[in-house]
Amino acid sequence: MFADLPKIDIKLTKNQQRQIAIGWIIIALNFIVVGIFYADLPDSIPAHFNYKGDVDGYGNKDSIWTLPILMGLTYALLAFIIKKVKPWYMNYPVKITEKNAPEVYKMSLQTLIYMNLLISIIATPTIVETILQAHKIDLGFKISSLSIIIVAVVTLLPLYFIFKMFKIPK
């Protein structure tokens, strides 16, 4: 299945390495924010928000650690894949040739990096909203609703790059 794909190794650019580092910084900031506010949280905090950003579930204050841990593990797994998996082991929506392989491989790598960066950001609005709601602070809008926009972008981003791949000459 993968035997016929060109074996061209693509190295991460300095900009891509910075993008990965920025994701790690965002993950660390999520942990720091939770750590700073954890002691002041009540025993019961908002644990789930509906699509409108309204609280529809509560949990123990320890549950606030779930999002940074989950995002950190997800980010680490995808960062590992980005750095270790060879591009010829991936699936592509276009036929890969010696001519288009470098550009398609670079594009697939950049897609994964952007998606991973968005994954590092996705929990931040919900963490902030949880802390605000737990302290009964109302800003007049729901920060957690931003997570829906980020999920939409994560969903649509691969489609954008797939369409771009079809424009690469074979």
Side-chain angles (χ1 to χ4, degrees):
M1 175 161 125
F2 303 116
D4 58 341
L5 293 181
K7 310 279 190 285
I8 301 169
D9 205 12
I10 303 297
K11 302 290 183 205
L12 290 172
T13 65
K14 289 203 183 294
N15 189 39
Q16 290 170 329
Q17 292 172 356
R18 273 192 295 272
Q19 291 168 350
I20 292 170
I22 288 168
W24 281 118
I25 291 167
I26 293 168
I27 294 290
L29 287 174
N30 283 332
F31 277 99
I32 291 167
V33 166
V34 169
I36 288 170
F37 292 98
Y38 179 77
D40 295 330
L41 291 173
D43 290 336
S44 179
I45 62 168
H48 193 269
F49 299 90
N50 65 17
Y51 70 96
K52 294 178 188 175
D54 298 327
V55 178
D56 64 0
Y58 289 87
N60 184 292
K61 79 178 195 176
D62 292 339
S63 66
I64 197 164
W65 293 104
T66 304
L67 282 176
I69 290 169
L70 185 61
M71 293 303 106
L73 291 173
T74 305
Y75 193 85
L77 177 63
L78 199 48
F80 175 79
I81 289 169
I82 289 167
K83 290 182 178 183
K84 298 296 182 185
V85 173
K86 301 299 180 191
W88 55 87
Y89 291 133
M90 296 181 195
N91 291 319
Y92 298 95
V94 296
K95 181 169 176 47
I96 306 298
T97 64
E98 289 288 335
K99 183 179 175 185
N100 72 359
E103 193 169 351
V104 172
Y105 289 173
K106 287 176 189 174
M107 198 175 292
S108 68
L109 183 64
Q110 189 61 57
T111 304
L112 290 174
I113 290 168
Y114 283 153
M115 288 179 64
N116 210 22
L117 190 55
L118 288 167
I119 284 169
S120 73
I121 298 168
I122 206 165
T124 305
T126 304
I127 291 167
V128 171
E129 185 73 36
T130 299
I131 293 167
L132 291 172
Q133 292 274 341
H135 289 293
K136 309 267 189 266
I137 298 170
D138 185 7
L139 298 177
F141 62 94
K142 305 294 184 192
I143 295 173
S144 60
S145 298
L146 293 173
S147 292
I148 294 170
I149 295 167
I150 298 168
V151 168
V153 172
V154 167
T155 304
L156 296 174
L157 185 70
L159 295 176
Y160 168 75
F161 280 103
I162 286 169
F163 287 120
K164 281 186 70 171
M165 284 181 190
F166 278 106
K167 293 183 178 184
I168 297 172
K170 294 178 174 79

